[in-house]
């Protein structure tokens, strides 16, 4: 008798919490999403900056755009959370959005924190500030943080500032545990390294 494994392609959502666009933070997020795209059922990018500011600040979860963004997080199997680090803290935009996610809203999801900053001095902000918040929201499967400094981005004629090969290798290493997930859950053996045209505009 032969048996076949049935794979379920994951739904992936990326949260960008940079206050500017384009940005290094968004570039890093898109590099991560690109690595997951071949194995995913759906990949969605949520730019928190583009959500209506008053609705965010007043926690209007019934606002159509806010509700849609929260629904994407709710439906996702894998959540990439990308933020710039300012003064050893993750962005206020991200805080406001995370405050809208229901208690235990990240339970059962795989979460990859991504961050950018001026120097490695801010790296510990992720361990002491962001990861506890993600855990409080129910995240139990938090992958290794990928942090990139300003100097680890290279200029690209078409795509602007892009993460260098060292950062891309760390992205691949952070996502590597997904390929060890038991069969029947995530077909992430199909993960691929980004090509030169890896990050869409």
């Amino acid at each position: 008798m032969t048996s076949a494994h049935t794979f379920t392609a994951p739904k992936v959502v990326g949260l960008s919490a940079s206050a500017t666009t384009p940005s290094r933070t968004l570039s890093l997020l898109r590099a991560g999403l690109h690595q997951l795209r071949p194995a995913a059922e759906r990949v969605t990018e949520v730019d928190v900056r583009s959500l209506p500011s008053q609705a965010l600040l007043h926690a209007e979860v019934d606002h159509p755009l806010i509700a849609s963004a929260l629904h994407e997080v709710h439906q996702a199997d894998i959540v990439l959370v990308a933020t710039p680090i300012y003064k050893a803290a993750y962005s206020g935009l991200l805080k406001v959005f995370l405050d809208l996610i229901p208690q235990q809203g990240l339970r059962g999801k795989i979460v990859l924190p991504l961050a950018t900053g001026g120097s490695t001095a801010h790296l510990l902000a992720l361990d002491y500030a962001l990861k506890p918040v993600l855990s409080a929201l129910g995240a139990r499967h938090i992958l290794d943080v990928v942090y990139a400094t300003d100097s680890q981005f290279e200029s690209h004629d078409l795509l602007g500032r892009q993460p260098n090969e060292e950062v891309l290798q760390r992205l691949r290493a952070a996502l590597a545990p997904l390929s060890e997930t038991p069969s029947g859950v995530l077909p992430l053996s199909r993960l691929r390294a980004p090509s030169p045209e890896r990050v869409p505009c």
Side-chain angles (χ1 to χ4, degrees), residues 6 12 18 20 31 46 55 63 65 73 84 100-101 106 116-117 120 144 166 175 180 184 200:
T6 301
V12 180
S18 176
T20 61
V46 174
H63 187 287
L65 294 178
V73 174
L100 302 183
I101 295 178
L106 295 181
T116 59
T120 55
D144 290 343
E166 177 190 350
L175 292 169
E180 301 168 4

Side-chain angles (χ1 to χ4, degrees), residues 2-201:
T2 60
S3 62
H5 296 300
T6 301
F7 293 112
T8 301
K11 299 179 181 68
V12 180
V13 66
L15 305 178
S16 173
S18 176
T20 61
T21 186
S23 69
R24 293 174 177 83
T25 301
L26 181 57
S27 175
L28 180 61
L29 173 65
R30 288 179 172 173
L33 292 176
H34 184 80
Q35 291 197 36
L36 289 167
R37 194 178 301 277
E41 174 185 331
R42 186 176 75 243
V43 173
T44 305
E45 182 182 302
V46 174
D47 182 3
V48 180
R49 176 181 176 273
S50 70
L51 297 175
S53 57
Q54 289 302 309
L56 274 174
L57 291 173
H58 290 34
E60 296 175 13
V61 295
D62 292 331
H63 187 287
L65 294 178
I66 304 295
S68 176
L70 292 173
H71 179 71
E72 292 293 344
V73 174
H74 174 72
Q75 292 291 312
D77 303 297
I78 303 173
V79 181
L80 278 62
V81 180
T83 178
I85 301 296
Y86 302 114
K87 298 181 179 179
Y90 60 90
S91 79
L93 270 177
L94 181 59
K95 180 184 186 306
V96 170
F97 185 80
L98 292 180
D99 285 347
L100 302 183
I101 295 178
Q103 187 176 13
Q104 301 300 307
L106 295 181
R107 180 171 292 277
K109 304 181 189 304
I110 297 170
V111 180
L112 172 61
L114 305 170
T116 59
S119 73
T120 55
H122 301 302
L123 178 58
L124 290 179
L126 295 166
D127 289 326
Y128 292 106
L130 180 56
K131 290 176 71 173
V133 172
L134 299 175
S135 296
L137 289 171
R140 298 295 179 267
H141 305 288
I142 302 177
L143 301 177
D144 290 343
V145 170
V146 177
Y147 178 85
T149 63
D150 293 348
S151 63
Q152 292 174 319
F153 287 80
E154 301 172 341
S155 295
H156 189 286
D157 290 342
L158 298 177
L159 304 176
R161 302 287 288 180
Q162 299 299 305
N164 65 17
E165 184 57 33
E166 177 190 350
V167 176
L168 295 177
Q169 287 178 0
R170 285 193 277 116
L171 264 176
R172 290 191 286 271
L175 292 169
L178 298 184
S179 64
E180 301 168 4
T181 303
S183 62
V185 183
L186 301 173
L188 294 177
S189 60
R190 293 166 54 195
L191 284 177
R192 67 182 180 192
S195 60
E197 58 275 10
R198 58 191 173 269
V199 184
C201 294

